[in-house]
Amino acid sequence: MTGFLFIVAAAAPLIATHDYKEQRLADKLRGPCAEYILGTDELGRDVFSRLVYGSRISMSVGIIAVFIAAAIGIFMGSAAGYYGGWIDNMIMRIVDIFLSIPTIYLILTTIVFLGPSIINVMIVIGLTGWTGIARLVRAEVLKNKNMKYVDSAKLIGLPESKIIMRHLLPNSLTPVFVAMTFGIAGAIFTEAALSFLGLGVQPPLPSWGNMLTAGKDYMHSAWWLIVFPGIAIFTAVFSYNLLGEGLRDYMNPVTRREDVG
């Protein structure tokens, strides 16, 4: 399913049946039909085309925000795990501060100051989502830094940066890939929530969240305006969560041994 979402996002100009910005007031609030397979909105815009282009927004926000979070989390976690001491204490206290503040409040406060836009949404979600990855990387580095291959690298005089990059991180990133998959699902949902509140992607750009906002005023007379964006959000979040569960089971050696047995 995640592969299908990528295909839809990448091929949006080919899949969309209309221009997502085109307004046809004469066709406003038309239900699903042959010309508009998912109906039209209050401005006569094709819902299907806006959903297809909205997938680009959701995929972009989810992936870019998670890569920002992963870059920060990997750097902070590897530094804390490898160096220990006051560096570890300082980084972990920063993590504790971030975790003590409800994420949605932190995101909302930051968006209010920066202003609502797709770029700011990506940055804010990334800057508030690195703590879990940092803790995972720290735990893996702590487990691996006393291995013999690390001692051998130290004996031959490799600098610490190369020991971390070449030896520790490649053997510490397995749980990070799983966390990133779950993180994409969370970022897609967060973007939809922010756009629904008017603090995310701004019209005329289509976002599943702002499509829900526009449709809530017509939920009794034009049900398709909230049903189809809702299904899209559910499908994307569910697909990435399912992929994360599959990756976690596949990368867990205990589970793999049980499957083989």
Side-chain angles (χ1 to χ4, degrees):
M1 184 60 74
T2 53
F4 174 75
L5 292 173
F6 272 109
I7 293 173
V8 169
L14 301 175
I15 297 174
T17 56
H18 295 78
D19 182 352
Y20 73 87
K21 300 187 297 293
E22 184 181 4
Q23 300 181 15
R24 298 182 178 182
L25 296 179
D27 292 332
K28 68 178 182 179
L29 299 179
R30 286 186 62 181
C33 59
E35 184 178 0
Y36 304 104
I37 58 176
L38 298 184
T40 62
D41 64 9
E42 73 282 2
L43 297 176
R45 297 172 298 189
D46 181 48
V47 172
F48 175 75
S49 299
R50 291 181 65 77
L51 277 178
V52 169
Y53 275 93
S55 67
R56 284 188 161 187
I57 301 294
S58 295
M59 296 297 107
S60 299
V61 170
I63 293 172
I64 294 175
V66 166
F67 270 95
I68 293 172
I72 299 172
I74 290 171
F75 175 79
M76 300 290 270
S78 58
Y82 184 80
Y83 293 106
W86 69 269
I87 295 178
D88 184 23
N89 287 331
M90 180 184 68
I91 292 175
M92 286 301 101
R93 297 299 76 76
I94 294 174
V95 169
D96 290 339
I97 291 172
F98 271 84
L99 292 176
S100 67
I101 305 172
T103 304
I104 190 62
Y105 294 152
L106 189 60
I107 291 174
L108 289 174
T109 302
T110 309
I111 286 292
V112 167
F113 282 103
L114 294 179
S117 73
I118 184 173
I119 301 298
N120 289 342
V121 169
M122 293 176 184
I123 293 172
V124 169
I125 294 176
L127 292 179
T128 57
W130 62 271
T131 53
I133 293 176
R135 295 174 73 179
L136 285 173
V137 173
R138 174 181 177 270
E140 291 294 314
V141 170
L142 284 172
K143 182 177 70 175
N144 293 323
K145 74 174 183 178
N146 294 320
M147 295 290 185
K148 290 183 179 180
Y149 66 86
V150 177
D151 293 334
S152 299
K154 291 178 180 177
L155 286 174
I156 63 175
L158 278 182
E160 292 179 334
S161 59
K162 288 187 177 180
I163 293 174
I164 295 173
M165 296 299 295
R166 291 185 182 179
H167 299 284
L168 282 174
L169 281 184
N171 293 289
S172 303
L173 294 183
T174 298
V176 174
F177 294 133
V178 177
M180 288 175 68
T181 306
F182 286 117
I184 292 174
I188 291 173
F189 186 80
T190 301
E191 180 276 320
L194 290 173
S195 296
F196 179 80
L197 296 173
L199 298 174
V201 178
Q202 299 298 298
L205 279 177
S207 162
W208 295 338
N210 63 30
M211 289 177 71
L212 281 176
T213 300
K216 65 181 174 58
D217 295 330
Y218 304 93
M219 58 188 304
H220 297 296
S221 58
W223 55 268
W224 55 91
L225 296 183
I226 60 171
V227 169
F228 294 124
I231 291 175
I233 295 170
F234 171 81
T235 302
V237 173
F238 179 77
S239 298
Y240 275 102
N241 279 327
L242 196 62
L243 178 61
E245 291 287 350
L247 280 176
R248 182 164 58 188
D249 290 342
Y250 177 76
M251 293 181 174
N252 187 338
V254 176
T255 305
R256 294 182 68 180
R257 282 199 299 269
E258 289 176 353
D259 291 341
V260 172

